[in-house]
Amino acid sequence: PAESALGTDDPASGEVPRLYQWDSRWGSTVYSSTAFALTGCCPTSLSMVYQGLTGKGDLSPYDMGKRASEGGYETTFDGTDATFLVNEAASLGLSCEADSVRSALEGGAVLICNVGPGDFTDNGHFFVITGIDDEGNLVVNDPYSAERSNRAWDVDTVLGQTIGLWVYRLA
């Protein structure tokens, strides 16, 4: 999947960076009793949101995984407890709140989406929703798949698989 990983990982670019949980810089580290590449979607998603909103590159997906682990949010073989997303926001200089997808994105927010089985996963998965394109489709940064990041997604398709949404803005 690395060959099609288009996008930037420069936090100063003003865009939400595309970072991948399988990146060689952290993908082979151990997280949730297995490889970060398999279970690091939540910390990778929060790292993208943090870097995109703050313009800072000091917290990589690996660093977010360490924060999750040290805070007791890492689960055995199941990734990250979703409360990590809400509970860590303030310490990162972010606010996290409930809002409608469209109004949040139009207002400059970035969302982390947790989905169940469907187009993105057989079990559970986290990714970032960065905006809405000209056709009204969602633009996503999927930390596991460059292919899914490179296409637009129908809002109803994504929301039909969604377990939870977290809206982030600078605090």
Side-chain angles (χ1 to χ4, degrees), residues 24-69:
S24 61
R25 293 173 285 183
W26 45 76
S28 62
T29 63
V30 176
Y31 184 74
S32 184
S33 304
T34 188
F36 191 92
L38 299 175
T39 56
C41 56
C42 183
T44 303
S45 293
L46 187 54
S47 181
M48 284 190 266
V49 168
Y50 169 78
Q51 290 187 28
L53 289 175
T54 67
K56 298 177 183 176
D58 59 323
L59 293 174
S60 71
Y62 173 80
D63 297 319
M64 285 295 182
K66 282 179 57 177
R67 286 176 80 111
S69 181

Side-chain angles (χ1 to χ4, degrees), residues 68-161:
S69 181
E70 291 167 0
Y73 301 103
E74 179 183 1
T75 62
T76 305
F77 294 110
D78 201 27
T80 311
D81 186 302
T83 58
F84 172 68
L85 298 171
V86 176
N87 295 346
E88 282 296 303
S91 71
L92 297 170
L94 305 172
S95 68
C96 179
E97 59 207 50
D99 204 344
S100 81
V101 172
R102 184 168 303 282
S103 67
L105 292 169
E106 289 172 352
V110 180
L111 287 68
I112 292 182
C113 183
N114 182 15
V115 292
D119 294 305
F120 295 88
T121 182
D122 292 333
N123 299 305
H125 186 54
F126 292 90
F127 57 87
V128 178
I129 300 173
T130 63
I132 299 177
D133 69 12
D134 293 338
E135 286 80 42
N137 294 307
L138 298 177
V139 178
V140 307
N141 285 5
D142 184 330
Y144 189 77
S145 173
E147 181 181 332
R148 289 190 295 258
S149 295
N150 287 334
R151 63 168 279 205
W153 288 88
D154 176 74
V155 174
D156 292 333
T157 298
V158 173
L159 293 181
Q161 299 170 45

